[in-house]
Amino acid sequence: MNLLEGLNEPQRAAVTLPPEHALILAGAGSGKTRVLTTRIAWLIATGQASPQQFLAVTFTNKAAKEMLTRLAAMLPINVKGMWIGTFHGLCNRLLRLHHRDAGLPQLFQILDSADQLAAVKRLLKSLNVDDEKYPPRELCWFINAQKEAGLRPAAVEAWDDWTKKRVELYEAYEAQCQKEGVVDFAELLLRCYELLERNEPLRRHYQERFRHILVDEFQDTNRLQYRWLKLLAGAHNALFCVGDDDQSIYAFRGAEVGNMRDFEREFGVRHLIRLEQNYRSHGNILEAANAIIKNNPARLGKHLWTAAGAGEPIRVFEASSDLDEARFIVEETQALLAEGCARREIALLYRSNAQSRALEHALFSAGIPYRVYGGLRFFERAEIKHALAYLRLIANPDDDTAFARVVNFPARGIGARTLEQLADAAKALGSSLFAAIPRVAGAGGAKLAAFAQLIGKLKEAAQLPLPELVDHMLELSGLREHYRNEKEGQERLANLDELVNAAANFLAEEGVANAEGELSADLIAFLAHAALEAGEHLAGEGEDALQLMTVHAAKGLEFDVVFICGLEEGLFPHENALLEDKGLEEERRLMYVAVTRARRRLYLTHAQARQLHGQTRYALPSRFIDEIPTGLLKFLTARPGRSAYGAVSPAPSFAASRPQIGFSIGQTVKHAKFGLGVIVQAEGSGSDARVQVNFGSAGMKWLALSVAKLEPA
């Protein structure tokens, strides 16, 4: 009963459900992590399950670690061996255990997105494919999309020559990865799914083991992840899914919000519990979020509330320009700091990264420290990638992506011609680049042989404890010496030293026992950790600096004060989304997420004119502001279409001053190319007059009236 203390009634109901399928609709700030963790602890404490019978899936390594830490504090059990992690982390663990059945080498390596891009570029070059017609990054997206749909090349439908060629390249990419013993992120899940699907004894083993499957952030699962969960659940296991369809904002990554309804229908879910009490935000903020999201159809439905009181009204500011908007935000921030608010508790959220320029300039000029969330993470920095590439070659010399990164870094005189000869030799042999080194003659071949000897020496040191191995590699490879001689290499050297610390910390937390004479199992595990973790931390976390980030990046975070900037039609909601099926619904969910990041005070700002991508944009205020009840808002400037006192004023019209034109805002017009549209904004006069027209499927267009042949419809 101690485990249940402090839970509200719906939380307690969710935690103590019988071992059946359940869907928990957990609103923002409603304590879902506590419910998930307590559910596991309660089932163990009441003797209904053992720690080995759980499989818990989170969407970040940070969330998985938090669950394990909380469980260890709740129960006197060793949580280290529990299967709690991300989809990719759990699939990596399962594939390591059954690598032969999965058709993988024991020491397979994981390609992160940058490594995958490098591998695709090498593939295109080796096949003499025009990378302008088939851009490497787009090919990566195509391959990953097929894998996330569960499709191998033979199953992909190709209706034209261009798609057929992409399918051929997908097939060649698969062959290259198999030869090199590497897998990308999408492959981890697909390979694991295929293994369980075709291997019935193995599937039955895990179905019998994992009697309780818990899933966090269920609204963010894609179709393949949902199929993987169904495969493991079988006919008798209990799926406990926690999510919020109102916070599904990753459709561009393949997230399928429809999985929640499919789960409810396909599994005959009898238990649907709504967690609606919010422990984060004041009432006015929650009422604004509720008012916005209720405009989305086909929701499972819930209404957030709090016992914390209404709090302050939501402040709305209309700026004349993005520079004026930034000036206002700086002035408000300075006032907040003077009141004692910590900088790290203030967040500036925006829809597009391009918006940060004006904000950063204003903050820098005012001397206010800030951090842009989403800068290069630790394991993604160039010097760390170089170091990891050497470690990957110790584990697997046939890893061509790692080989290509460091064969001539630091520079050792191995030129492009030598590498072309090596690639030709590898192709003729059907081998890796490393294995083909003896086939290259001359001075270039001698330099390649010296590199092979270096890798051999590093491999001999693989029995050292992991931190010592990393330190030894940094010296012997020449990486440290290279950055010592670089003009601004001190920060990179500090990062390399931090890699040794990271290895030591990993060894302390995750170290595994090695059989004598074997390649360090710690090294293999550390490389997988580096690829999967990729530095999942908030840039500037723990530092007293203002936080700047996109709304997508803000998911899961919370702050005392939040500014949502650039609330204009065409920007938020984004003009691209307005042209997509259900695009507006996703934008509204994004706005809901942005609003619910605020605990105490919320600002909504928009500008009449904004510099973006080298052009001045003019726009109307976002429809999301209009969806919030006026009683919740405090307008710091005159509301568009209203006086400063809130009385409705006539809709603006420029026809009166220029009667020869005869158009007004709100009027339907016809254009020869774009069809029917509605005038939403206007500026200028005489020959400089222009209007912004919403042409529906053709999008928003600014048209010069002296040129465009607009006709009243």
Side-chain angles (χ1 to χ4, degrees):
M1 291 305 296
N2 289 339
L3 291 172
L4 305 179
E5 285 182 6
L7 297 179
N8 62 39
E9 189 175 333
Q11 288 175 334
R12 184 182 292 238
V15 166
T16 58
L17 281 173
E20 298 178 22
H21 304 308
L23 179 59
I24 313 300
L25 280 182
S30 62
K32 66 180 178 62
T33 304
R34 184 180 184 186
V35 167
L36 272 168
T37 311
T38 309
R39 169 73 173 169
I40 297 172
W42 185 78
L43 287 170
I44 294 172
T46 55
Q48 298 182 65
S50 69
Q52 291 73 37
Q53 291 181 304
F54 290 93
L55 178 80
V57 189
T58 66
F59 263 77
T60 65
N61 291 301
K62 182 180 178 182
K65 288 177 181 175
E66 184 178 349
M67 283 186 69
L68 288 167
T69 302
R70 290 193 190 189
L71 272 175
M74 287 177 167
L75 297 173
I77 60 171
N78 182 2
V79 300
K80 192 171 184 180
M82 292 185 71
W83 285 65
I84 297 177
T86 64
F87 279 104
H88 293 123
L90 294 170
C91 287
N92 169 65
R93 184 171 175 180
L94 200 145
L95 290 173
R96 297 281 175 195
L97 291 171
H98 307 285
H99 62 92
R100 288 191 185 88
D101 292 325
L104 289 170
Q106 183 179 6
L107 306 179
F108 73 84
Q109 296 299 306
I110 302 170
L111 299 178
D112 65 16
S113 55
D115 293 328
Q116 183 188 26
L117 182 61
V120 166
K121 286 179 178 177
R122 279 193 293 106
L123 175 74
L124 296 177
K125 187 173 182 180
S126 70
L127 297 176
N128 294 316
V129 174
D130 183 356
D131 61 4
E132 289 191 3
K133 187 174 182 180
Y134 299 95
R137 196 174 298 277
E138 288 185 14
L139 187 56
C140 285
W141 293 339
F142 173 77
I143 291 169
N144 292 339
Q146 305 316 308
K147 290 186 179 185
E148 287 168 2
L151 300 176
R152 292 296 183 189
V156 179
E157 292 184 353
W159 302 102
D160 53 49
D161 291 339
W162 181 64
T163 306
K164 285 177 185 175
K165 183 63 176 178
R166 291 205 295 175
V167 173
E168 289 174 13
L169 293 171
Y170 175 17
E171 190 170 16
Y173 169 77
E174 280 203 323
Q176 175 179 289
C177 289
Q178 190 67 27
K179 181 188 73 176
E180 297 176 11
V182 296
V183 298
D184 54 46
F185 280 127
E187 182 70 21
L188 277 174
L189 187 65
L190 181 55
R191 186 74 66 110
C192 187
Y193 173 81
E194 291 172 340
L195 170 65
L196 292 170
E197 185 183 41
R198 71 170 179 267
N199 192 323
E200 186 181 353
L202 191 66
R203 183 171 72 249
R204 279 205 312 270
H205 165 75
Y206 282 107
Q207 286 174 346
E208 290 170 8
R209 175 173 180 173
F210 298 132
R211 291 297 186 182
H212 297 273
I213 301 174
L214 299 93
V215 189
D216 192 13
E217 305 285 8
F218 187 59
Q219 78 280 352
D220 291 334
T221 52
N222 62 33
R223 282 300 186 192
L224 183 59
Q225 289 165 341
Y226 180 45
R227 287 166 60 190
W228 184 82
L229 290 167
K230 289 199 291 185
L231 207 58
L232 280 171
H236 306 293
N237 298 334
L239 261 174
F240 186 90
C241 298
V242 180
D244 183 0
D245 55 334
D246 291 334
Q247 293 190 75
S248 180
I249 60 173
Y250 296 121
F252 67 96
R253 294 183 191 167
E256 180 53 68
V257 68
N259 286 346
M260 298 185 78
R261 285 195 175 277
D262 290 348
F263 168 58
E264 188 181 11
R265 184 185 70 255
E266 293 171 6
F267 284 82
V269 174
R270 296 192 308 146
H271 306 288
L272 192 155
I273 295 176
R274 290 172 171 83
L275 305 182
E276 297 175 306
Q277 183 173 359
N278 177 284
Y279 294 92
R280 175 190 300 159
S281 307
H282 285 157
N284 285 340
I285 293 169
L286 298 180
E287 286 304 319
N290 289 329
I292 292 166
I293 202 63
K294 76 177 183 182
N295 292 290
N296 269 1
R299 296 170 58 229
L300 290 167
K302 64 185 176 313
H303 189 90
L304 295 180
W305 65 276
T306 181
E312 303 176 5
I314 297 165
R315 293 159 169 81
V316 183
F317 179 79
E318 180 184 35
S320 59
S321 67
D322 51 345
L323 298 179
D324 185 37
E325 178 187 50
R327 176 199 55 76
F328 165 76
I329 290 171
V330 165
E331 290 176 356
E332 285 293 303
T333 297
Q334 289 170 330
L336 288 163
L337 297 176
E339 293 172 14
C341 184
R343 283 189 288 263
R344 62 177 174 273
E345 288 297 344
I346 303 173
L348 277 52
L349 309 185
Y350 35 80
R351 179 64 179 83
S352 166
N353 271 312
Q355 292 172 247
S356 74
R357 181 192 59 83
L359 297 170
E360 288 188 62
H361 179 74
L363 291 168
F364 178 80
S365 300
I368 299 175
Y370 68 90
R371 291 280 179 178
V372 179
Y373 179 83
L376 279 181
R377 296 169 175 176
F378 179 76
F379 286 113
E380 295 172 340
R381 292 168 186 164
E383 62 273 21
I384 300 301
K385 297 279 283 184
H386 290 321
L388 290 173
Y390 277 105
L391 294 175
R392 283 166 53 179
L393 287 175
I394 295 172
N396 176 17
D398 295 330
D399 185 340
D400 281 1
T401 302
F403 182 96
R405 175 176 278 274
V406 295
V407 64
N408 196 41
F409 191 92
R412 46 182 62 92
I414 299 173
R417 178 64 188 140
T418 299
L419 292 176
E420 285 177 12
Q421 291 174 342
L422 179 63
D424 291 342
K427 190 173 182 179
L429 286 171
S431 72
S432 68
L433 295 171
F434 190 92
I437 285 176
R439 292 297 186 97
V440 181
K447 290 171 182 173
L448 286 170
F451 178 72
Q453 288 177 344
L454 167 63
I455 300 303
K457 288 180 183 177
L458 290 173
K459 203 170 181 71
E460 290 171 6
Q463 299 306 312
L464 290 171
L466 183 62
E468 293 181 30
L469 172 61
V470 174
D471 190 68
H472 180 70
M473 174 275 298
L474 293 174
E475 287 296 337
L476 201 61
S477 66
L479 283 175
R480 274 209 178 104
E481 187 62 26
H482 171 81
Y483 289 117
R484 283 192 195 105
N485 296 326
E486 203 176 64
K487 184 178 179 182
E488 297 177 359
Q490 290 306 308
E491 185 176 346
R492 296 186 186 276
L493 282 171
N495 287 335
L496 292 177
D497 289 338
E498 186 58 31
L499 183 63
V500 180
N501 295 336
N505 292 337
F506 176 83
L507 193 64
E509 295 177 10
E510 308 285 347
V512 293
N514 299 327
E516 191 171 346
E518 281 189 356
L519 180 69
S520 171
D522 285 320
L523 173 59
I524 305 303
F526 179 64
L527 288 170
H529 161 79
L532 292 167
E533 184 89 11
E536 281 186 302
H537 64 274
L538 176 63
E541 189 172 17
E543 298 178 30
D544 194 17
L546 233 67
Q547 304 294 325
L548 275 66
M549 65 194 76
T550 64
V551 181
H552 279 105
K555 177 106 184 305
L557 304 176
E558 56 187 77
F559 306 91
D560 282 344
V561 181
V562 169
F563 292 83
I564 306 177
C565 318
L567 276 167
E568 296 133 32
E569 286 292 303
L571 185 55
F572 197 3
H574 198 278
E575 58 192 356
N576 292 345
L578 297 176
L579 305 178
E580 299 170 0
D581 182 39
K582 298 183 179 178
L584 180 58
E585 293 174 31
E586 177 110 347
E587 290 291 296
R588 190 172 279 115
R589 291 194 292 267
L590 200 55
M591 181 63 179
Y592 176 83
V593 167
V595 168
T596 54
R597 297 313 93 196
R599 297 192 195 104
R600 186 167 57 84
R601 184 180 290 189
L602 176 64
Y603 291 85
L604 309 178
T605 69
H606 61 97
Q608 296 171 352
R610 182 178 302 277
Q611 282 285 335
L612 271 181
H613 311 300
Q615 295 182 329
T616 301
R617 297 172 51 134
Y618 302 87
L620 293 172
S622 169
R623 69 189 70 192
F624 298 146
I625 298 176
D626 288 332
E627 291 176 356
I628 301 172
T630 307
L632 301 176
L633 303 175
K634 178 181 180 181
F635 292 95
L636 304 180
T637 50
R639 185 180 184 187
R642 294 176 178 264
S643 71
Y645 301 99
V648 177
S649 59
S653 170
F654 59 98
S657 60
R658 301 170 54 250
Q660 72 276 17
I661 293 173
F663 294 122
S664 62
I665 290 175
Q667 183 176 356
T668 302
V669 293
K670 186 177 180 181
H671 187 273
K673 179 179 179 182
F674 303 126
L676 291 177
V678 176
I679 297 177
V680 297
Q681 183 65 288
E683 66 172 22
S685 60
S687 61
D688 294 327
R690 63 179 193 153
V691 292
Q692 187 183 38
V693 185
N694 186 346
F695 285 106
S697 60
M700 304 280 280
K701 308 290 182 184
W702 275 101
L703 302 173
L705 290 175
S706 60
V707 177
K709 303 292 190 239
L710 280 182
E711 299 176 4

